[in-house]
Amino acid sequence: QMQLVESGGGSVQAGGSLRLSCVASRYTWRTYCMAWFRQILGKEREGVAVIDSDGSTSYTDSVKGRFTISQDTVNTLTLQMNSLKPEDTAMYYCAANLPPCGTLGGPLGGPADFGYWGQGTQVTVSS
């Protein structure tokens, strides 16, 4: 069983930046599909960004050009969030699964396709 631990959430004003980190208890570099999801209370969990085991990335349209997903070390996933907006406010979750990897919104790219989850870190953006 793999554990994922997120950190880096907090409260910022609109236009600010945050950097989320997710540390895995296993080696994930080019081995696992890694992703960030977010969820607002009462709504479905939404895919934000995914990085494939071959290093390719995909983003949901609302964060393109503002967020960057990367694997900084062999077991650390990050999400750099710039130009934050109030609508980015949510609980952010790190997720992992073994390949094959999907794309957000497509086959193998939804929450049900990821078997490992962190506990979440809250991001709050005020206007």
Side-chain angles (χ1 to χ4, degrees):
Q1 189 76 357
M2 177 166 65
Q3 282 76 47
L4 302 172
V5 180
E6 304 99 332
S7 62
S11 297
V12 295
Q13 290 191 326
S17 298
L18 283 173
R19 185 176 178 88
L20 305 184
S21 293
C22 171
V23 178
S25 59
R26 293 181 186 173
Y27 182 104
T28 56
W29 175 265
R30 301 294 173 97
T31 305
Y32 282 80
C33 314
M34 303 296 296
W36 288 97
F37 287 81
R38 65 187 179 187
Q39 189 171 23
I40 300 170
L41 192 63
K43 295 192 175 182
E44 291 187 357
R45 195 163 292 190
E46 172 194 30
V48 176
V50 63
I51 185 164
D52 204 315
S53 55
D54 65 1
S56 60
T57 60
S58 64
Y59 300 87
T60 191
D61 287 345
S62 64
V63 308
K64 285 179 181 177
R66 300 188 297 121
F67 291 11
T68 302
I69 188 172
S70 62
Q71 284 226 256
D72 289 355
T73 73
V74 296
N75 69 336
T76 303
L77 180 74
T78 64
L79 184 68
Q80 178 66 43
M81 305 187 295
N82 299 326
S83 302
L84 283 160
K85 303 176 181 181
E87 52 264 42
D88 295 319
T89 296
M91 184 71 80
Y92 283 71
Y93 297 91
C94 172
N97 207 44
L98 289 169
C101 304
T103 56
L104 291 178
L108 303 179
D113 300 304
F114 287 80
Y116 301 101
W117 291 88
Q119 82 288 350
T121 186
Q122 178 67 37
V123 171
T124 302
V125 184
S126 58
S127 58

